[in-house]
Amino acid sequence: KNEVEQSPQNLTAQEGEFITINCSYSVGISALHWLQQHPGGGIVSLFMLSSGKKKHGRLIATINIQEKHSSLHITASHPRDSAVYICAAIPNYGGATNKLIFGTGTLLAVQP
Amino acid sequence: EAQVTQNPRYLITVTGKKLTVTCSQNMNHEYMSWYRQDPGLGLRQIYYSMNVEVTDKGDVPEGYKVSRKEKRNFPLILESPSPNQTSLYFCASSLGGRRGETQYFGPGTRLLVL
């Protein structure tokens, strides 16, 4: 069983829909990143959060460290949001290094 | 432009033929890391480096070597590639390698080993 699990694995939405991607983890963490990977392209960091909620444009990320769960929401989805979304947890083990444990990703396709 | 570059972007090779994937960053970052990405497994760390001449194994180091002779470069070496090393490889860097720092990823190198 992966230490970081994402759901769903695949998601198809119509333009304008509200989208939620979930991430749960089984290890103690100090914070969590949400990353975006476009087809054929690299990976960029969207958020890092350790508590509560962060918002950037139409993207909202929430986390509850105690419940071991984070969500990424996209409001008013658009075809350009189509990408793989990856959560990456920062474990409490691993010393002071920048170790990450990655989820397997959610492939989002937003249709016009 | 601040970036992480990788070369080549695509590579097809045969079993046993040594290859090197280069990674370079222009942000003066101390920390660099190599990951491989496989369907159903996500990203897994191969090796990382906290600074020049300081490297350490990640979660899946078998079959790989790295070196860090200069701060900006962190090449990944496959001395005798095998088909199970067919994957998408990413290099990443961050400022100091401290917990929680944003990592900046390269564009990826897609490797096929026949």
Side-chain angles (χ1 to χ4, degrees):
Chain A
K1 189 179 188 299
N2 292 339
E3 292 176 300
V4 177
E5 299 272 358
Q6 283 185 240
S7 63
Q9 290 187 354
N10 295 280
L11 181 56
T12 300
Q14 294 296 314
E15 184 173 355
E17 285 185 6
F18 181 85
I19 290 164
T20 296
I21 299 170
N22 295 300
C23 177
S24 60
Y25 45 91
S26 58
V27 294
I29 73 168
S30 58
L32 181 144
H33 291 275
W34 279 100
L35 311 173
Q36 181 189 57
Q37 182 178 16
H38 277 282
I43 299 168
V44 295
S45 179
L46 298 172
F47 297 102
M48 186 185 74
L49 64 167
S50 57
S51 66
K53 177 196 295 190
K54 283 193 177 179
K55 184 176 189 291
H56 181 67
R58 295 179 294 104
L59 301 178
I60 304 166
T62 63
I63 190 169
N64 186 318
I65 288 279
Q66 287 74 27
E67 292 190 2
K68 299 187 184 309
H69 184 267
S70 176
S71 293
L72 177 68
H73 306 285
I74 305 176
T75 62
S77 60
H78 190 276
R80 65 175 174 267
D81 296 325
S82 298
V84 175
Y85 292 86
I86 302 168
C87 65
I90 302 165
N92 287 334
Y93 62 83
T97 63
N98 201 357
K99 181 172 179 62
L100 296 174
I101 308 172
F102 297 87
T104 54
T106 295
L107 175 60
L108 171 65
V110 181
Q111 297 178 341
Chain B
E1 181 190 355
Q3 59 182 351
V4 178
T5 56
Q6 294 178 227
N7 281 293
R9 295 289 312 278
Y10 304 91
L11 180 59
I12 301 173
T13 190
V14 295
T15 298
K17 186 176 181 182
K18 181 179 179 179
L19 68 92
T20 299
V21 183
T22 64
C23 173
S24 183
Q25 50 90 9
N26 62 2
M27 295 171 279
N28 202 34
H29 284 173
E30 293 184 354
Y31 179 90
M32 298 185 75
S33 180
W34 274 104
Y35 300 96
R36 60 178 289 174
Q37 185 180 38
D38 302 291
L41 296 175
L43 284 150
R44 294 177 293 168
Q45 190 177 51
I46 303 170
Y47 269 95
Y48 66 96
S49 169
M50 295 295 287
N51 212 325
V52 176
E53 303 290 1
V54 181
T55 63
D56 209 345
K57 296 177 180 178
D59 299 314
V60 288
E62 296 77 19
Y64 304 95
K65 284 177 58 176
V66 293
S67 68
R68 188 92 181 271
K69 293 182 168 51
E70 304 166 284
K71 198 171 189 177
R72 64 184 293 126
N73 296 323
F74 190 43
L76 179 70
I77 303 156
L78 285 71
E79 298 228 325
S80 183
S82 63
N84 64 13
Q85 292 178 297
T86 292
S87 188
L88 179 57
Y89 291 87
F90 287 97
C91 180
S93 71
S94 72
L95 184 61
R98 284 172 286 279
R99 181 183 288 171
E101 282 179 353
T102 296
Q103 293 193 30
Y104 297 85
F105 288 83
T109 295
R110 191 168 292 279
L111 172 65
L112 173 62
V113 183
L114 301 173

